[in-house]
Amino acid sequence: MKKTQRNLLLAISRLLLALCPLSPAFGQEVPGKIAVDIQTTLNALLADEDTDGDKKITIDDAHLVGSEQGDKRFWMRTVENQVFEVSGTYYLSNLLQELKLAEAEAAPDGTAQLAAARIFEPPVDRLSRSIKELFWSGLTRRVDEEGLQTILADEKTNTIDGMRYVYVPASDQTAFDYFTGVAQRHPEWRMKVVRLPRNISAPYVRNLDGRHGILSLALVPRPGGGYEGLPFVVPGGRFNEMYGWDSYFIALGLLHDGRTELAKAMVDNFVHEITHYGAILNANRTYYLTRSQPPFLTSMALAVYQHLPREAASKAWLQGVLAAAIQEYRTVWMNPDRLTKIGLSRYFDSGFGAPPEVEPGHFDVVFAAHAKKHGMAAGEFEAAYRAGRLKEPELDAYFVHDRAMRESGHDTSYRLEGRCANLVTVDLNSLLYKIERDIAKIIEEEFAGVLKFGKGRAERSADWRKAAERRRDLMNRHLWNAERGMFFDYDFVQKRQTAYESATTFYPLWAGAATPEQAERLVRSALPLFEMPGGLAGSTEASRGRITPEHPPRQWDFPNGWAPHQMLVWQGLINYGYNRIAQRLIYRWLYTITFNAANYNGTVPEKFDVATRSHQVFAEYGNVGTKFSYITREGFGWTNTSYQLGVSLLPQEWRDSLNRLIPPEWLF
């Protein structure tokens, strides 16, 4: 679009938005605050505009024929008997949200003051403020006496004997004593505290089926006596546990919004996991004891460290985190289960059989295919297989790959399904390259090139630089495809690249592992394959394949886009000087979030269909973050962060355009 046309469009938009939709009746001036009876106004608003009865006001609320219901115009009466009109889906949904927030502060007579500025707050400003002031607190949890009621109310804590299990490491006597005391003080919780064995085996974890529970995290002394759990932020929705790679992206949002101590506490919880469980877990539940998630600890620690005061305590903290990161690097990612014979690493899960955390019905297609071979009904076959009464080696192998795929965080995708344990992936090896580079940098800049630990052990920055260079050479040999101008996963069993087109091809840009020439090829050859109206898709449609009953949609594939991919690609492009392209992608993604929030009562979900810019994604588990009444108090963790970071990276004129909901096709 020509500059003159764009400027004309912006001018028209400013003029239209200057016409405030709050129209006072009888010529009254718009006040700063409006006193209303909360429940009366709330009931009237829902009766008038919530025509589908979902306790939200969205563009899906139809205008009922022959009625004023659903016409997106509401006359609000104040306690002084003034009448004001609020019109438009976005402003009406804001009114609904403000009424619910005001309920907690209502006077004894049920009245409260509503701020007109909040009802008519521009969408970008409102969403960003809500994330900072409301969502992070709504997502914060603790595994302690105060926080356990929320965690134990989660349906995932249901067990065959009706007890709620809290498991503590064998090496954490403080936790065992503390939670035993909590259980004694709250018999109504039906809480059982179990000490884990020192050596946690796959059969032990499998035998917990039916009695799985929450894993304790770090406890610290409480001022005045006793202990409290270090806080952490959960993704949202059905998730009430601390997840591996989600937490890195969440921490970036917390740091952006000034919540440094909370981000630091999350790093400390991860150090606790490495110390007592041997790894950063997929999440702190017992069925995750056999697998980790994509490793971001050094990136997370460095991000927090940049916000800490430059003093000895901060440096000591960084050294402690570094020791844990090195331990995890060697004992998890470079151990025989994950380090392959070609020198690159893979995702893996030491458990076996169908993962118990997966929702009922997810494996129906898989079990049905094998049941047919045995002449059995699908349900009968599944029950026999899960109970160990029936052996099926092919299905055993399938679940080895399925579990590895869940460690990748990309569960599920046809990129990985049925073969993940045979792949050295672009994403994992880019992350490990970044860890090697981070450790070298920290030791060089903070510890003069050599970091000494106990028992004569020393870590040298030069050794870690060599490890990173060796990994980059292997990535170029096995993962880079010069003909296609893309990085692909490598099947070390079949000794060939997979050719599956995934957004993970851009991870080397984020990690700094790509050469400038490779970056240029990725921008020219790969980016057009993934850039959609609403952001970057997780894969291409061609690689995903045609959707059929036997080949159902997978949530990490086309047409879905996810916040971590967006943020990693933005930063990767910026690393190599492609700032303007990064800003274009940022605008596409933020427009998608803003459009859906404005039209669907503030909805901020975990993923989007970026081809249609819709949050109505129905693949696999639905879309976490879309189920709420009246107002979301959480959003979704990494989507929240992507919004805060994205807005900060846009030039002011594009932020103004976003506030006016100008679609990207009008700008680019």
Side-chain angles (χ1 to χ4, degrees):
M1 178 183 290
K2 294 181 179 179
K3 186 175 181 180
T4 53
Q5 292 175 308
R6 182 166 64 249
N7 289 342
L8 177 61
L9 178 64
L10 289 173
I12 294 172
S13 299
R14 291 190 184 99
L15 178 62
L16 291 174
L17 287 169
L19 302 175
C20 180
L22 179 71
S23 303
F26 316 120
Q28 299 152 338
E29 292 186 4
V30 179
K33 295 265 190 175
I34 302 171
V36 299
D37 183 290
I38 296 297
Q39 202 58 52
T40 300
T41 308
L42 182 62
N43 291 342
L45 176 61
L46 291 173
D48 194 59
E49 296 298 333
D50 179 25
T51 60
D52 59 9
D54 65 353
K55 298 178 182 177
K56 304 176 194 174
I57 297 175
T58 74
I59 57 173
D60 291 340
D61 287 304
H63 185 187
L64 303 183
V65 177
S67 169
E68 293 184 356
Q69 285 185 286
D71 65 354
K72 302 301 188 289
R73 298 178 68 194
F74 176 69
W75 295 92
M76 179 171 58
R77 186 175 297 277
T78 72
V79 294
E80 291 86 9
N81 213 30
Q82 295 173 306
V83 179
F84 293 88
E85 180 188 5
V86 181
S87 61
T89 299
Y90 170 64
Y91 298 115
L92 288 166
S93 69
N94 286 354
L95 174 58
L96 175 62
Q97 295 167 51
E98 291 301 314
L99 287 166
K100 288 303 291 184
L101 289 171
E103 270 189 330
E105 300 177 0
D109 63 357
T111 64
Q113 298 276 338
L114 299 184
R118 289 291 173 88
I119 298 171
F120 303 109
E121 193 171 13
V124 176
D125 301 351
R126 180 177 181 83
L127 183 50
S128 183
R129 181 185 56 76
S130 295
I131 292 169
K132 182 176 181 178
E133 298 178 2
L134 187 66
F135 292 2
W136 295 132
S137 296
L139 292 169
T140 301
R141 305 283 188 275
R142 281 184 169 88
V143 183
D144 61 12
E145 187 165 5
E146 180 181 341
L148 272 172
Q149 268 194 295
T150 297
I151 293 172
L152 296 181
D154 189 324
E155 63 180 13
K156 295 192 293 294
T157 63
N158 293 342
T159 60
I160 56 175
D161 59 8
M163 301 298 291
R164 298 292 187 268
Y165 285 82
V166 175
Y167 290 83
V168 299
S171 52
D172 194 349
Q173 183 65 41
T174 297
F176 184 77
D177 294 342
Y178 172 81
F179 287 108
T180 298
V182 172
Q184 292 171 350
R185 287 191 292 275
H186 297 282
E188 72 279 8
W189 290 359
R190 295 182 59 80
M191 172 180 158
K192 187 171 183 178
V193 183
V194 179
R195 191 196 300 267
L196 292 166
R198 289 198 174 273
N199 296 310
I200 301 169
S201 66
Y204 172 81
V205 176
R206 178 65 180 269
N207 287 334
L208 294 179
D209 284 1
R211 300 186 310 280
H212 283 291
I214 196 75
L215 295 167
S216 65
L217 293 176
L219 292 171
V220 295
R222 182 194 295 272
Y227 291 90
E228 63 184 7
L230 278 180
F232 57 94
V233 176
V234 301
R238 59 191 176 91
F239 302 114
N240 282 296
E241 48 281 322
M242 184 177 177
Y243 278 81
W245 72 318
D246 292 71
S247 293
Y248 165 65
F249 297 101
I250 288 168
L252 295 182
L254 293 173
L255 293 170
H256 178 277
D257 288 338
R259 306 289 292 273
T260 301
E261 286 304 311
L262 182 51
K264 180 175 178 287
M266 294 177 71
V267 174
D268 291 337
N269 272 319
F270 277 156
V271 171
H272 179 89
E273 286 192 351
I274 293 170
T275 301
H276 294 285
Y277 301 115
I280 290 177
L281 302 176
N282 187 153
N284 61 311
R285 290 194 184 274
T286 47
Y287 40 67
Y288 293 137
L289 281 165
T290 56
R291 66 172 176 264
S292 185
Q293 267 205 325
F296 283 92
L297 181 57
T298 58
S299 296
M300 189 174 174
L302 280 170
V304 171
Y305 186 63
Q306 295 305 313
H307 288 76
L308 297 180
R310 287 294 175 263
E311 58 188 25
S314 299
K315 192 170 182 178
W317 175 83
L318 182 63
Q319 181 174 338
V321 178
L322 191 63
I326 292 171
Q327 176 187 332
E328 186 198 35
Y329 171 87
R330 289 188 173 136
T331 61
V332 176
W333 301 108
M334 300 296 283
N335 75 9
D337 281 341
R338 291 175 177 81
L339 180 62
T340 70
K341 58 188 176 182
I342 68 170
L344 295 173
S345 298
R346 66 170 178 169
Y347 291 113
F348 192 69
D349 179 336
S350 60
F352 56 90
E357 79 276 10
V358 176
E359 293 182 344
H362 179 77
F363 294 116
D364 283 356
V365 171
V366 177
F367 283 123
H370 288 275
K372 188 175 182 180
K373 292 191 300 183
H374 287 265
M376 300 172 67
E380 178 189 8
F381 173 85
E382 179 179 353
Y385 177 80
R386 287 183 181 272
R389 298 192 302 271
L390 188 152
K391 300 298 181 183
E392 183 61 60
E394 185 180 345
L395 194 52
D396 293 342
Y398 173 87
F399 284 121
V400 169
H401 295 301
D402 181 85
R403 285 172 169 269
M405 174 170 58
R406 295 178 191 283
E407 180 168 87
S408 81
H410 292 81
D411 45 321
T412 64
S413 164
Y414 286 116
R415 173 173 75 102
L416 305 172
E417 187 166 337
R419 59 182 176 181
C420 186
N422 293 348
L423 303 180
V424 290
T425 64
V426 176
D427 43 318
L428 176 57
N429 286 282
S430 296
L431 297 179
L432 293 176
Y433 172 83
K434 175 69 160 50
I435 287 173
E436 292 157 350
R437 286 281 303 275
D438 285 346
I439 295 173
K441 176 183 177 182
I442 294 169
I443 296 174
E444 180 68 33
E445 296 181 358
E446 301 292 337
F447 302 99
V450 180
L451 178 57
K452 295 182 179 180
F453 293 100
K455 299 180 180 179
R457 174 183 154 211
E459 300 290 343
R460 293 175 172 79
S461 60
D463 295 334
W464 286 95
R465 280 197 301 272
K466 289 178 182 177
E469 290 165 4
R470 183 165 57 249
R471 187 177 301 275
R472 183 173 59 186
D473 290 344
L474 290 170
M475 290 171 65
N476 282 328
R477 183 187 311 172
H478 296 291
L479 309 181
W480 175 249
N481 188 311
E483 182 179 350
R484 296 286 307 279
M486 296 174 65
F487 288 94
F488 291 102
D489 301 328
Y490 182 81
D491 188 320
F492 60 87
V493 175
Q494 298 186 6
K495 299 180 179 179
R496 66 185 184 190
Q497 291 179 349
T498 66
Y500 194 99
E501 296 164 342
S502 166
T504 54
T505 193
F506 298 104
Y507 272 56
L509 298 183
W510 176 82
T515 66
E517 293 75 22
Q518 288 171 330
E520 189 275 333
R521 289 293 309 280
L522 282 165
V523 170
R524 177 160 47 90
S525 302
L527 191 58
L529 300 176
F530 299 94
E531 185 174 355
M532 298 288 140
L536 291 166
S539 79
T540 63
E541 186 174 15
S543 284
R544 181 205 65 185
R546 188 169 66 90
I547 297 302
T548 67
E550 295 75 30
H551 192 81
R554 297 297 187 221
Q555 63 176 358
W556 282 90
D557 290 336
F558 177 89
N560 300 323
W562 292 75
H565 286 171
Q566 317 301 316
M567 288 184 278
L568 291 172
V569 175
W570 300 344
Q571 188 58 56
L573 291 168
I574 291 170
N575 288 346
Y576 287 82
Y578 295 99
N579 297 53
R580 203 64 172 174
I581 294 175
Q583 289 173 341
R584 183 182 76 217
L585 297 176
I586 291 169
Y587 192 93
R588 290 190 185 282
W589 178 252
L590 296 193
Y591 177 82
T592 301
I593 298 175
T594 309
F595 177 86
N596 281 269
N599 287 290
Y600 287 93
N601 213 106
T603 293
V604 180
E606 65 173 349
K607 58 183 175 286
F608 291 95
D609 178 332
V610 292
T612 62
R613 296 195 291 236
S614 172
H615 72 279
Q616 295 177 335
V617 176
F618 304 107
E620 299 187 287
Y621 308 105
N623 204 352
V624 181
T626 60
K627 295 180 179 180
F628 60 88
S629 297
Y630 307 112
I631 180 174
T632 175
R633 298 174 185 267
E634 299 181 347
F636 193 84
W638 57 26
T639 313
N640 298 342
T641 292
S642 72
Y643 201 80
Q644 300 297 70
L645 296 189
V647 168
S648 73
L649 292 169
L650 283 183
Q652 186 61 49
E653 65 174 299
W654 288 10
R655 291 175 63 177
D656 293 342
S657 297
L658 195 59
N659 253 330
R660 297 175 180 87
L661 287 177
I662 297 177
E665 52 268 23
W666 285 90
L667 299 176
F668 312 124

